[in-house]
Amino acid sequence: MRVTDRLLAHRDKMTPSERQLVSVLLDDYPMAGLGSITELASTASVSTTTVARMLQKTGFDGYPQFQAALRGEVKEMISGPVAKRDVWQNDLPEEHILNRYSQRSLANQKRTIDEIDPDEFDSFCSLLSDQNRRIFITGGRITGTLAQYLYLHLQMIRPDVRLLPVAASWTHDLLDVRQGDVLIALDVRRYENASLLIGQLCHERGAEIVLLTDQWRSPIHRLAKHTFAARISVPSAWDSMAAILTLMECAIAEVQERLWDSVKDRTVELEQAFDRTKLFRKFGQSSGS
């Protein structure tokens, strides 16, 4: 289990001071736990005894073991493609790539969905369905393709959806962000500085932030109203975005149903535009028509 999983799994059985300590760790994760035990206790306004007791409840033998687990997660967060492959190559089952990769990818999708709080997902869909709010979407070098996918679908479903370009011109778009707007940020390891800056600027302008990230969680999570952590590790030098895509498609399907009356009208109008532009090929059309 990740350190965050262990902390959250035992939080209901903790004392108020221990829960306060857990909140401090999660608010600045993982950095809050990488200093000395005295520094952590001081930051959380608890005693070092409280720190030791909380760690014991979560299954750690002591502070050194807790920090070793944190450092292991940090190493995973910043791993490049070569390092990721090195981790997998010594532990691959004797199976065809179709089996070993797809099985892990499917397991990632199932675990990701299983770990999502349905109430939090519903709240996320409520933000997307509120047509008084404008939606801004941003992704990074790889997740930008997912951002584009989400943008195209939401734009068909409702008005006032904007994709922030990866290039520096996104600063122009942020001039229009106002209180109550929504920023959907996609950011996975190795977390991108531009994505964090966009999150910070939108947060300062009063936007609600929804973060789609990995199991280690992008630094943007400290600003986010909702954070959805997907499992992305697969037997490859590159991570899998399948779990994030599944989550996005669940949200698209739900928002479509909530807004169906207006979605139907938008879709009819869009199809008429497609017919006029001859974007799609009709059955029976000749190649010269």
Side-chain angles (χ1 to χ4, degrees):
M1 294 178 70
R2 294 171 296 161
V3 173
T4 51
D5 293 333
R6 294 170 72 166
L7 295 175
L8 292 171
H10 297 84
R11 187 160 59 176
D12 291 343
K13 299 178 181 178
M14 294 181 184
T15 65
S17 59
E18 289 167 352
R19 288 197 293 271
Q20 177 177 313
L21 172 60
V22 169
S23 294
V24 168
L25 284 167
L26 295 178
D27 286 344
D28 190 19
Y29 186 85
M31 301 307 297
L34 294 177
S36 69
I37 188 172
T38 303
E39 291 170 335
L40 175 57
S42 175
T43 301
S45 299
V46 300
S47 67
T48 55
T49 303
T50 297
V51 177
R53 187 173 61 240
M54 185 277 291
L55 293 178
Q56 187 176 29
K57 286 183 178 180
T58 52
F60 292 103
D61 293 334
Y63 200 66
Q65 186 195 36
F66 167 71
Q67 286 199 312
L70 281 182
R71 285 193 290 270
E73 289 193 5
V74 171
K75 185 177 180 180
E76 288 185 274
M77 288 181 192
I78 62 176
S79 294
V82 174
K84 292 174 192 173
R85 184 182 180 279
D86 287 345
V87 170
W88 280 103
Q89 67 173 342
N90 297 322
D91 205 21
L92 291 178
E94 292 296 325
E95 294 178 328
H96 193 280
I97 183 63
L98 285 170
N99 294 323
R100 66 173 182 256
Y101 190 101
S102 62
Q103 287 172 8
R104 181 57 186 250
S105 178
L106 290 170
N108 282 346
Q109 294 172 61
K110 183 179 187 306
R111 187 168 180 185
T112 296
I113 298 302
D114 287 347
E115 291 178 346
I116 291 175
D117 180 350
D119 290 337
E120 186 167 20
F121 176 80
D122 289 344
S123 180
F124 169 39
C125 291
S126 294
L127 287 176
L128 297 182
S129 303
D130 185 350
Q131 298 187 66
N132 292 318
R133 299 175 184 267
R134 293 177 303 169
I135 307 296
F136 294 81
I137 305 172
T138 186
R141 190 175 64 92
I142 298 297
T143 54
T145 56
L146 291 177
Q148 172 80 9
Y149 183 86
L150 180 60
Y151 162 73
L152 287 174
H153 282 80
L154 289 181
Q155 191 188 44
M156 288 188 285
I157 291 171
R158 50 154 295 166
D160 293 325
V161 181
R162 187 177 301 181
L163 178 67
L164 298 180
V166 177
S169 59
W170 57 259
T171 51
H172 300 175
D173 292 272
L174 295 193
L175 293 174
D176 297 329
V177 174
R178 59 178 180 240
Q179 185 84 24
D181 286 343
V182 179
L183 172 70
I184 303 174
L186 293 95
D187 193 31
V188 300
R189 67 174 181 182
R190 299 167 286 175
Y191 313 113
E192 297 185 35
N193 291 322
S195 298
L196 177 57
L197 181 56
I198 289 171
Q200 290 169 336
L201 292 172
C202 287
H203 185 262
E204 290 169 7
R205 298 180 73 89
E208 304 275 12
I209 298 176
V210 178
L211 172 64
L212 307 183
T213 185
D214 54 34
Q215 59 257 49
W216 302 280
R217 301 197 303 174
S218 158
I220 299 172
H221 84 268
R222 291 191 288 273
L223 308 172
K225 180 181 180 67
H226 299 294
T227 295
F228 297 97
R231 302 284 170 160
I232 64 172
S233 297
V234 284
S236 169
W238 291 275
D239 293 318
S240 168
M241 300 294 105
I244 296 179
L245 178 60
T246 298
L247 171 60
M248 290 196 320
E249 291 189 330
C250 288
I252 290 167
E254 173 62 14
V255 175
Q256 166 205 283
E257 288 306 304
R258 292 191 186 197
L259 301 178
W260 179 246
D261 287 343
S262 61
V263 172
K264 185 176 180 181
D265 292 340
R266 286 175 68 85
T267 303
V268 169
E269 188 174 350
L270 184 61
E271 289 298 318
Q272 290 172 347
F274 287 157
D275 288 343
R276 292 187 65 181
T277 60
K278 301 187 185 304
L279 176 64
F280 298 116
R281 182 173 177 79
K282 298 284 188 179
F283 284 107
Q285 272 188 332
S286 66
S287 58
S289 62

